[in-house]
Amino acid sequence: MKHQESIEKRRTFGIIAHPDAGKTTLTEKLLLFGGAIQTAGAVKNSKIKKAATSDFMEIEKQRGISVATSVMAFEYGGKQVNILDTPGHKDFAEDTYRTLTAVDSVILVIDCANGVEMQTEKLMEVCRMRKTPVIIFVNKMDREGKDAFTLLDELEDKLDLKVRPLTWPIGMGDRFKGVYNLYDHNINLFQANKTKISKEIVSISDLADPQLNELLGDAVANELREDVEMIDGVYNPFDKADYLAGDVAPVFFGSAVNNFGIQELLDTFIKISPSPRGRETDLRRIEPSDPKFSGFVFKIHANLDPKHRDRIAFLRIVSGKFERNTFYNHVRLGKKFKFPNPTSFMAQDKSVIDEAFPGDVIGLYDTGNFKIGDTLNEGEKFMFKGIPSFSPEIFQELENLDPSKSKQLEKGIRQLTDEGVAQMFIQQPGNRKIVGTVGQLQFEVIVHRLVNEYGANCRFVPRNYHIACWITTENEVQLKSFLNAKTGNMAKDKDDNWVFLAETPYLLDRAEQDYPDLKFHRTSDFKLS
Ligand code: G4P
């Protein structure tokens, strides 16, 4: 197959959702419709979202499973669909943000009763920053939920995005009769069925057709006619270019657990979703069609066996062709590496691959050379931009309980932060290690791993910070006076950038007013611009 065809064929995307909205179920159903699995239940137990506290077995299990199910690939409609798994647990949100840098589009799952929930808003913020095309799937229509128009308004409002329904629900809950396909003008009648795929599609070319009344009853048929008239009046016709630009999100309705509305979603996804896209670097934009290989690391997984310190670095290929046993530049280290055992991840199977193309994600065995955000390429040297760190939400100080093990602790915490488990800030002046995460669970993972994998002895002490902001300025004098005034709140990140740790939003506001020449960045993206 020609290189360009290999690129055009790929569709690499992620499914995001607030926990419990149905991400796991939808992933599984897409695999089912795509023919990658034969029975429901294969993906199901891959989550720990209900393990809220220190269940280390669960944490270990999560680490294992997320390697196994990191990329799920199948062929459908002539395309190779790569689904990148994103952790459902909110404490792993940072991992999800980074995975979003490696996808070309996103399917967002919403629970029709809960509408837009907190985690959805945050995840969508990341998509908006990157202009990632989004398709929305409103799930659980077999249950009572919010009115469809109200939901669409809520989506536009809270997600700051335009929407365009492409299917429309006929009733909901006990009265859920199916979905009307606003594009193909046909009706898919609902039958609650968790194992079989419904094929009952009736074509209705004209909504005035009396057949509609026979199928749905007079009241429901008339309601559908009114709804469709309203949709056509309120929403602009769907424009693929607007979707690809990240400006409009098409919306589908259905019930994942009942296999309902998935076909419409998958068929449209195949038709409209983008093939692999280029990425910005510090030199220029790199397109997938560039003949030279390039890619970036967006995730690192430690080996589950603590006796083997090797890790797996997940590399998204941006351009050219990756080949096994070929030397490539590790740009940050200025060294060349080759990889004898690159792997692909397809559902539960891991297999060694000889080559991979733009849009693919491969796993590289690593003995500690990679950090998240690293670029691997051939030819001219450049670094990919845009794997930002966000301000953590919880801050704790790492305390060493055994001075004879300081080296182990130092090495361990550096490696874990390279893996992206947490961010570390070194308080200035001094050497206190402030560790920031988005969830409490992360601290338990870190202590557990520092003790078990590195032989350290340590604990975390809560610190009362609210946000970390990266500071840049041209005004060195003002920076100096700020540093003097804020001793105790200043730290350096691991790339030696200044970071202000503010206890309250008010103190951050004040700092911004009092020091107008300092820029306070909420994400570390500034380093890359
Ligand atoms: P998540 O990955 O986004 O966290 O959600 P997941 O798919 O695990 O779904 C959360 C719960 O919602 C599951 O129930 C699942 O069966 C249910 N669910 C998913 N899709 C639908 C749907 O279309 N309609 C209805 N009514 N429920 C749906 P659970 O009780 O947590 O698990 P289980 O015991 O059913 O497996």
Side-chain angles (χ1 to χ4, degrees):
M1 193 184 300
K2 289 211 192 74
H3 188 62
Q4 196 57 28
E5 277 172 39
S6 305
I7 300 171
E8 298 285 325
K9 206 180 147 170
R10 282 163 166 81
R11 296 289 181 276
T12 304
F13 76 106
I15 304 180
I16 55 176
H18 188 88
D20 257 351
K23 179 176 79 75
T24 315
T25 313
L26 179 65
T27 307
E28 177 174 287
K29 297 308 164 104
L30 289 174
L31 295 176
L32 194 65
F33 276 72
I37 54 171
Q38 306 319 320
T39 49
V43 187
K44 195 67 214 168
N45 42 23
S46 69
K47 54 183 176 171
I48 59 155
K49 63 187 162 124
K50 282 161 195 137
T53 49
S54 34
D55 187 341
F56 293 124
M57 277 317 289
E58 285 299 339
I59 294 169
E60 295 294 296
K61 230 161 55 194
Q62 164 80 14
R63 283 169 57 204
I65 289 160
S66 48
V67 170
T69 62
S70 277
V71 187
M72 287 159 277
F74 60 89
E75 297 245 343
Y76 185 84
K79 303 283 185 257
Q80 181 181 324
V81 181
N82 296 328
I83 309 180
L84 267 55
D85 190 34
T86 55
H89 197 294
K90 85 166 181 28
D91 288 5
F92 291 90
E94 189 76 26
D95 224 14
T96 302
Y97 303 153
R98 284 191 296 259
T99 300
L100 290 179
T101 64
V103 301
D104 299 302
S105 71
V106 153
I107 294 182
L108 167 66
V109 188
I110 299 278
D111 178 326
C112 70
N114 299 337
V116 175
E117 296 171 84
M118 207 183 78
Q119 190 133 342
T120 318
E121 286 186 57
K122 277 198 84 168
L123 292 166
M124 277 302 299
E125 214 179 293
V126 180
C127 293
R128 264 203 319 273
M129 274 166 60
R130 310 183 57 81
K131 289 269 175 200
T132 309
V134 177
I135 296 180
I136 299 173
F137 182 72
V138 180
N139 191 26
K140 306 198 185 180
M141 292 306 294
D142 58 317
R143 289 214 187 139
E144 283 309 321
K146 298 183 184 178
D147 161 74
F149 283 110
T150 312
L151 266 172
L152 294 179
D153 286 348
E154 188 178 324
L155 286 166
E156 291 205 329
D157 243 34
K158 290 202 177 159
L159 302 182
D160 192 13
L161 160 118
K162 292 253 163 289
V163 298
R164 192 351 161 159
L166 290 190
T167 62
W168 194 249
I170 306 170
M172 69 163 55
D174 292 341
R175 295 163 292 108
F176 184 46
K177 292 239 173 15
V179 284
Y180 178 68
N181 189 324
L182 292 158
Y183 260 73
D184 297 340
H185 305 288
N186 56 34
I187 288 178
N188 196 345
L189 288 178
F190 176 65
Q191 279 177 326
N193 194 330
K194 295 193 167 85
T195 49
K196 257 183 38 208
I197 295 171
S198 156
K199 289 273 178 228
E200 223 177 306
I201 296 177
V202 184
S203 258
I204 301 274
S205 50
D206 179 359
L207 276 179
D209 188 337
Q211 198 194 348
L212 196 67
N213 298 56
E214 283 163 36
L215 281 172
L216 305 174
D218 290 343
V220 177
N222 288 335
E223 198 185 341
L224 176 64
R225 289 181 183 114
E226 278 169 25
D227 282 356
V228 171
E229 203 180 309
M230 177 110 141
I231 293 164
D232 289 340
V234 173
Y235 296 97
N236 290 330
F238 174 65
D239 182 342
K240 186 172 156 184
D242 290 341
Y243 154 72
L244 289 175
D247 293 333
V248 171
V251 182
F252 292 81
F253 293 83
S255 166
V257 80
N258 291 299
N259 296 324
F260 212 78
I262 314 280
Q263 190 80 56
E264 291 83 353
L265 175 69
L266 185 57
D267 287 344
T268 310
F269 173 80
I270 290 296
K271 265 190 238 155
I272 66 172
S273 65
S275 54
R277 303 176 130 194
R279 298 282 191 282
E280 293 297 334
T281 74
D282 53 0
L283 269 190
R284 62 188 167 85
R285 191 177 166 83
I286 300 293
E287 295 299 338
S289 54
D290 268 67
K292 296 233 185 299
F293 157 74
S294 69
F296 62 90
V297 173
F298 64 95
K299 172 163 153 170
I300 293 178
H301 254 287
N303 195 319
L304 283 183
D305 179 354
K307 287 185 208 76
H308 297 101
R309 199 46 75 56
D310 60 337
R311 315 185 287 183
I312 298 177
F314 289 75
L315 182 95
R316 149 88 198 216
I317 294 166
V318 178
S319 67
K321 183 162 86 169
F322 172 92
E323 285 178 291
R324 188 153 86 101
N325 272 326
T326 305
F327 277 101
Y328 294 121
N329 306 318
H330 185 312
V331 180
R332 181 177 54 84
L333 295 184
K335 286 188 187 162
K336 286 195 183 260
F337 286 90
K338 65 174 180 174
F339 303 90
N341 297 309
T343 51
S344 73
F345 307 94
M346 302 234 174
Q348 302 297 319
D349 304 332
K350 259 198 292 177
S351 52
V352 173
I353 46 126
D354 289 318
E355 53 182 33
F357 296 90
D360 286 344
V361 169
I362 56 172
L364 304 175
Y365 286 96
D366 170 40
T367 49
N369 292 314
F370 284 115
K371 271 194 203 184
I372 284 176
D374 275 343
T375 297
L376 204 62
N377 72 359
E378 62 181 327
E380 62 184 333
K381 299 198 174 112
F382 51 75
M383 286 289 278
F384 282 104
K385 290 181 176 183
I387 306 224
S389 300
F390 294 83
S391 171
E393 288 164 25
I394 308 177
F395 297 85
Q396 301 200 359
E397 184 177 337
L398 180 62
E399 264 189 17
N400 188 1
L401 296 178
D402 182 350
S404 70
K405 300 277 172 60
S406 337
K407 266 205 176 131
Q408 285 88 333
L409 184 69
E410 188 78 25
K411 180 169 177 199
I413 192 68
R414 294 235 168 243
Q415 289 203 346
L416 294 189
T417 46
D418 283 354
E419 266 177 44
V421 177
Q423 293 180 61
M424 184 165 62
F425 307 102
I426 308 289
Q427 203 169 26
Q428 304 289 327
N431 192 29
R432 289 173 182 273
K433 294 182 174 61
I434 311 291
V435 174
T437 69
V438 286
Q440 189 59 39
L441 191 57
Q442 240 57 335
F443 291 106
E444 295 170 26
V445 175
I446 295 169
V447 172
H448 177 70
R449 291 189 57 193
L450 286 173
V451 171
N452 286 282
E453 293 174 30
Y454 295 89
N457 188 2
C458 56
R459 67 167 179 189
F460 277 108
V461 184
R463 296 292 300 261
N464 191 24
Y465 297 123
H466 159 76
I467 192 170
C469 285
W470 285 263
I471 297 176
T472 54
T473 186
E474 308 263 285
N475 186 339
E476 287 300 319
V477 178
Q478 202 166 86
L479 176 64
K480 220 168 181 181
S481 105
F482 186 69
L483 295 178
N484 283 335
K486 299 289 176 189
T487 350
N489 292 77
M490 297 311 301
K492 291 257 179 120
D493 73 2
K494 60 192 170 83
D495 298 323
D496 225 27
N497 296 295
W498 278 114
V499 176
F500 174 48
L501 302 167
E503 277 108 352
T504 63
Y506 170 75
L507 287 173
L508 177 60
D509 281 352
R510 278 288 301 274
E512 284 182 311
Q513 279 167 25
D514 295 348
Y515 298 87
D517 283 356
L518 303 189
K519 281 209 183 92
F520 296 83
H521 307 268
R522 266 74 173 171
T523 74
S524 65
D525 238 1
F526 69 91
K527 288 187 227 168
L528 310 150
S529 46

